[in-house]
Amino acid sequence: MIDFKQKIAEAISKNINLPEQDIYEYIEKPSDEKLGDFSFPCFKLAKELKKSPQMIAEDLKEKLVFEENFMQKIEVVSGYLNFYIDPQAFISTVLTEVAKQNENYGKSTIGNGKNIVIDYSAPNIAKPFHIGHLRSTVIGNAIYKIYKFLGYNCIGVNHLGDYGTQFGKLIEGYKRWGSEYKIEENPIDELTKIYVRINNLCKEDETVLEECRNNFKKLEDGDKECVELWTKFREVSLKEFQKVYDLLQVSFDSWNGEAFYSDKMQEVVDTLKEKQLLKKSEGAMVVDLSEKNMPPCIIEKTNGSTTYATRDLAAILYRARNYNFDKALYVTSYEQILHFKQIFEVAKYLNMDEKYANNLVHIPFGMIQLKNGKMSTREGNVIKLEDLLNEAISRVLNIINEKNSNLENKEEIAKKIGIGAVIFNDLYNSRIKDEIFDWDTMLNFNGETGPYMQYIYVRTKSLLEKASYVPSIEDVDFSKLLDEPSLKVIKIIYNFQDILMQAAEKYEPYILARYLISLAQSFSSFYNENKIITEEKEVQNARLYLTYSVSIILKIGSELLGIQMPDRM
Ligand code: ARG
């Protein structure tokens, strides 16, 4: 595909003494179409060239030469060079590329040879997989897929919370009252009850809390009973979690959770000791971070047991050595910002090349607020993700039964729409924003929602079905798409890869989600203003081809977000 921006950068670089890459980055896409398709601000050169931006722009305008004739005109407006691409060149480059790439449209090899570790989802064993983990799972999965599409080698890690003092508590509770609960029947709910009960007891009785801490220490030391109980808790929990992953269609390359590092932490402790970074503080071993204006990072607790931070440090070492990562990403709520700042700081002292410590990235996101407030495991007042996803499906099924009850395969379709709605809702805003979870908003088929995007996709499908053919590109007359709504769709499709790059660079799937909505909306205007199935064969071919292109991009894009498209609805 012709990269117009690149061509402009090339032409400019022949006339001024600046690296082409810099120029490329200076080139903007004006938000107002009237100002052209691309524009180059000359202010950045004024100082160096000792000329006014306006003069530089006028000068350049005379000198620029483009070999292919895709440049319709260049205008100088208050220090900017505005470039107008010939609409037909836009159309031909986009549609030819679609014809060549089909479902690989937008794919890149830019990431080839680079390894990206993505740590996401990571629910905690013996606790419900709740809506708070939904975001990590959905955001992480989208980032994984986008990076992969751009050619990176991605390693998705589910760093399960399967270790830590809470297991000491759970073991203690189970030892005391295990037989009262029907663990086999309903594992997570029952274990949660035990957890809530023992937690309450701990609040009343300091000695029970001590017992719990000792249990965890015993677990770390390999005590048979503790290990057996832990294994059981882990197994039943994973089985439950899998139901959610199946619904979301999310999978991982590694399930190494916190416990995996239980025998890999000594090296961390030893290294920090050797470098004289470990200090005793109130009985615990900590790395002082006061110079970095942070509270100390606790490496070993008073009773010698390790911490969440120690396990994360061991995991960094492991990932550096085993995955040789170019970047290691961590997707969690913003509640853990400090935790990651601390461990990224301490990681600089581990025995590994410094490039690893310099390429650790925390990707924080906001909380999900339900209308009735926050959720917390300790109080036992939680919404389980599995229930929530099933509710989404049944709500959609109700809508289908009202509007189109004869639809074939409606269960399957309701699943794609219901789950898609939840995922889309989660990805539609910049991730750091808190998200309000509201059924009516996310299931609105006319809103900026997953169902709307799917609805437009289904429309493209049924149009193609109605025509019963996709024209071959040779039979498409590009000049039939010069009207405004068609051109608008073309230009959006042109931007697809750029959007993916931005979403990857900023770790922001919302950039893609919003893009897909704008594509769907502009297709809708195109469709409202243009008859697609018409007597005029040439017009029909061109419009059908555009419809086909939209259909492809919506499908690729939604899949990258982790959303399945139904073929009808
Ligand atoms: N299990 C943790 C939680 O639920 C998230 C783990 C994130 N990953 C990590 N390497 N610390 O809060």
Side-chain angles (χ1 to χ4, degrees), residues 76-218:
V76 173
V77 180
S78 38
Y80 279 89
L81 270 171
N82 292 340
F83 299 90
Y84 298 76
I85 306 296
D86 173 27
Q88 203 148 316
F90 251 125
I91 302 168
S92 77
T93 184
V94 166
L95 297 189
T96 315
E97 183 72 6
V98 170
K100 206 159 88 194
Q101 306 292 349
N102 297 296
E103 38 294 309
N104 289 324
Y105 181 90
K107 218 177 197 165
S108 168
T109 52
I110 196 166
N112 282 8
K114 295 203 179 90
N115 302 320
I116 308 282
V117 175
I118 310 172
D119 177 319
Y120 61 110
S121 193
N124 300 317
I125 297 294
K127 289 188 190 173
F129 191 150
H130 64 78
I131 167 171
H133 287 116
L134 171 72
R135 296 211 79 185
S136 174
T137 309
V138 165
I139 295 172
N141 188 49
I143 293 176
Y144 181 101
K145 292 193 166 195
I146 294 170
Y147 268 87
K148 197 162 178 179
F149 198 68
L150 295 177
Y152 292 86
N153 176 38
C154 295
I155 304 109
V157 184
N158 195 346
H159 188 81
L160 292 167
D162 57 2
Y163 225 52
T165 31
Q166 74 270 27
F167 287 92
K169 286 187 179 169
L170 206 54
I171 291 170
E172 186 58 28
Y174 190 86
K175 280 188 191 164
R176 286 171 183 249
W177 320 297
S179 57
E180 293 172 36
Y181 294 85
K182 300 192 181 92
I183 313 279
E184 307 297 331
E185 267 171 46
N186 203 354
I188 295 198
D189 287 349
E190 296 296 284
L191 288 173
T192 307
K193 285 183 196 154
I194 298 183
Y195 187 72
V196 172
R197 186 165 164 193
I198 190 75
N199 229 337
N200 287 335
L201 191 60
C202 284
K203 277 181 204 154
E204 285 164 23
D205 188 342
E206 196 49 41
T207 62
V208 179
L209 185 61
E210 210 36 54
E211 267 315 298
C212 296
R213 290 200 181 117
N214 287 337
N215 278 331
F216 178 57
K217 183 77 181 104
K218 273 157 84 182

Side-chain angles (χ1 to χ4, degrees), residues 119 122-124 133 159 161 258 308 312 319 330 332 336 339-340:
D119 177 319
N124 300 317
H133 287 116
H159 188 81
E258 293 184 40
Y308 180 52
D312 256 330
R319 291 169 189 180
Y330 296 82
T332 80
Q336 297 195 35
H339 164 75
F340 284 104

Side-chain angles (χ1 to χ4, degrees), residues 254 256 260-261 264 313-325 352:
S254 160
N256 290 338
F260 177 77
Y261 301 99
K264 298 175 180 59
L313 288 164
I316 293 174
L317 261 185
Y318 180 85
R319 291 169 189 180
R321 289 174 186 160
N322 288 276
Y323 303 128
N324 179 27
F325 61 78
M352 58 183 191

